[in-house]
Amino acid sequence: MNFTYCPHCGEKLIPREIGDEGMIPYCQTCKKPLFPFFYTCTINLVVNEYKEIALIRQDYVSTENYVCVAGYMKPGESAELSACREIKEELGLAVQSLQFIRSYPLEQKSLLMLGFAARVKKDDFRLSCEVDSACWFPFEEAVKRVRPGSVAAQLLEEGFAACS
């Protein structure tokens, strides 16, 4: 998100050269640059001891494809705590171990998605109201269930290799 007005005082911003960052919106009243804002979330590959992958379906996202468990980080929360919280909230599963895979910028939604592979013990799901359904899939089937080229597809490829 790019600012047009200062969120602190409401003054209209002007472009100003800020070091090697280039032209950045600047508030002359507050004397501060306002760099573009983005949201941070985690996206999580959930893998059990049988190397099955938990994918969820959220009809407001897609009625055709499954997705990985994901969610926004809360203020004061580490990425690791956010990943574990989202998995617990959406699937009802406790994370046994967590490994950072990589970050995935998603410019069209102003998101930075932090990708994790999470090991859990296979159990029945206790779904949140945000999740319409969830299933355990072998890797080969999981790859077919997510949208090709999506962040979930990339995390499946990269994260599953790290778990094997």
Side-chain angles (χ1 to χ4, degrees), residues 61-121:
V61 175
S62 173
T63 56
E64 297 174 16
N65 297 310
Y66 281 81
V67 295
C68 293
V69 172
Y72 291 97
M73 291 177 59
K74 294 181 178 181
E77 183 176 57
S78 71
E80 293 81 4
L81 285 175
S82 175
C84 294
R85 176 184 51 76
E86 287 292 339
I87 294 166
K88 184 72 169 173
E89 285 176 2
E90 293 188 6
L91 294 175
L93 301 174
V95 174
Q96 295 177 322
S97 67
L98 192 66
Q99 180 182 352
F100 178 72
I101 303 302
R102 78 173 179 95
S103 60
Y104 303 87
L106 195 57
E107 190 173 353
Q108 67 269 34
K109 291 189 176 183
S110 297
L111 288 177
L112 177 63
M113 303 185 85
L114 304 177
F116 288 92
R119 292 281 198 169
V120 299
K121 185 177 185 303

Side-chain angles (χ1 to χ4, degrees), residues 2-68:
N2 292 312
F3 293 100
T4 303
Y5 294 92
C6 178
H8 306 288
C9 72
E11 188 73 28
K12 184 158 176 67
L13 303 174
I14 61 163
R16 183 170 180 186
E17 184 108 19
I18 305 293
D20 62 359
E21 299 297 325
M23 300 303 277
I24 300 296
Y26 184 82
C27 179
Q28 291 182 322
T29 304
C30 296
K31 307 283 188 242
K32 61 167 71 171
L34 291 152
F35 292 91
F37 183 80
F38 60 90
Y39 297 97
T40 308
C41 64
T42 62
I43 182 165
N44 308 289
L45 178 65
V46 180
V47 183
N48 68 27
E49 67 272 29
Y50 305 107
K51 297 190 178 182
E52 295 171 316
I53 297 164
L55 295 176
I56 63 173
R57 180 164 294 156
Q58 296 171 300
D59 289 345
Y60 71 90
V61 175
S62 173
T63 56
E64 297 174 16
N65 297 310
Y66 281 81
V67 295
C68 293

Side-chain angles (χ1 to χ4, degrees), residues 147-158:
R147 188 175 55 78
S150 65
V151 172
Q154 294 173 58
L155 181 60
L156 268 165
E157 293 288 341
E158 297 162 355

